[in-house]
Amino acid sequence: MVTNGIRNIYLENNKIFVHDYEPYLKVFDAEIGKYLHNIGAKGQGPGELPYMYTVDINPHENKILLCWGNSAHRFDFDGNFSGKIELPPIDDNERINAPVVSIDARYFAGTIRTFDGDQKNLVVLFNDNQEITGSLKCYENPIQPPNIPGGVWAPFGQGGSFYRANQEIRYFRGFTDTVFAYRNETQMFSPFFIIDYGKHTSTLNFARGAENPNLIIVSSIKENDRYIFLNFHTENASPEPYEDEVYFDGSLRKFINHSISGIFDKQKQSFHFLRQPIHGIPGLKNDIDKGIPFFVRNTSSNNQLIDYHHAYKFLEYTESLPDLSDSFAEIINQISEEDNPIVIIAE
């Protein structure tokens, strides 16, 4: 049922939500893996999208936003459509773009796409009456789409991304050093933590050959009550590059993965990078049943950690394990290469 290209998998309210390359979510029972229903549909009508770029799952409001460009559709956890969110206009230079997140039942935040000139805002806050109530101002030089033939808008690097940490919402932009947190008391985004990149910081100069060759950027952040899990990307500074593959736009693409993983302990206020327990399989070493390393791809509001793999890849990884335990071997024997993705949940 799940396409080859998985964009993300979420776990909330004992349900697994799969975001692949279909313009809707696929929902499964988290206890037994049974398919339940879809949220959204493909099309142009109410509750339908031609494509789905981002997903926001708000378990505290029982709301889900499916976003595409400057369009956001709202559903409950059972898949009932409750309306399209109209994004307020700003000016000719900027507009609100996906991703959009719900702060509460009537209050939202969206990232900004800049078309020309100076970028004024990173995030704009608004309500369901299309009233703009505040913004996170741009504190650095604007990041524009590449001024080259074929240059395209890159929402992650230029617009930014949100993630949820239990009841809190964070915002970051790939090329910058500051992660912001939404504060209810001020109804604003404020700095949450700052990454000191040293010589690896971006010059924000994206002409060909002009960017810092040692550049390291954040590619994903996940967080629970105790830890912040960060993944970085670099072209030059990775100590453990490895051959990897990904399904994108209907085809399998092979590439050299230059990612670096790290973990920040909020209680001890300490950070360290993670070496690959098995080369080519990044993550935390599995010291429970000697299975494959656990890579934190997502977290739930109950502090559960989520990892997932295509079934064929999961079986391929097990061939790299030095010593199979009986319990893990029993799991492997139940899996076929043609199965839906394997989801691993750490409590």
Side-chain angles (χ1 to χ4, degrees), residues 38 127 146 197 249 278-279 341-342:
N38 293 338
N127 60 31
Y197 286 111
D249 201 21
I278 299 175
H279 182 68
I342 308 302

Side-chain angles (χ1 to χ4, degrees), residues 7-77:
R7 301 173 71 95
N8 214 332
I9 290 180
Y10 305 86
L11 172 66
E12 291 294 350
N13 291 15
N14 208 32
K15 294 180 179 179
I16 292 172
F17 302 86
V18 177
H19 176 193
D20 57 13
Y21 279 89
E22 302 283 9
Y24 47 85
L25 283 180
K26 298 165 185 176
V27 187
F28 298 81
D29 185 292
E31 292 290 337
I32 59 176
K34 179 183 177 182
Y35 167 74
L36 299 176
H37 55 83
N38 293 338
I39 295 179
K42 185 174 183 176
Q44 304 285 341
E48 299 176 343
L49 290 86
Y51 182 83
M52 184 169 67
Y53 175 62
T54 62
V55 173
D56 174 49
I57 298 180
N58 185 343
H60 312 291
E61 297 287 338
N62 192 37
K63 300 296 183 185
I64 294 175
L65 295 183
L66 306 184
C67 301
W68 158 241
N70 60 348
S71 175
H73 299 250
R74 182 162 41 180
F75 302 82
D76 64 21
F77 272 44

Side-chain angles (χ1 to χ4, degrees), residues 138-202:
C138 187
Y139 69 102
E140 286 191 89
N141 297 328
I143 297 177
Q144 297 288 346
N147 188 22
I148 57 174
V152 296
W153 168 248
F156 171 76
Q158 296 156 39
S161 184
F162 298 102
Y163 73 92
R164 290 185 178 272
N166 203 338
Q167 296 195 43
E168 298 189 9
I169 297 173
R170 315 277 194 238
Y171 166 82
F172 68 97
R173 191 167 64 172
F175 287 98
T176 54
D177 58 7
T178 306
V179 177
F180 297 87
Y182 178 77
R183 305 298 185 190
N184 283 315
E185 58 272 19
T186 62
Q187 294 189 318
M188 294 290 291
F189 280 88
S190 303
F192 175 58
F193 68 88
I194 298 174
I195 302 170
D196 182 2
Y197 286 111
K199 72 174 184 178
H200 302 285
T201 191
S202 171

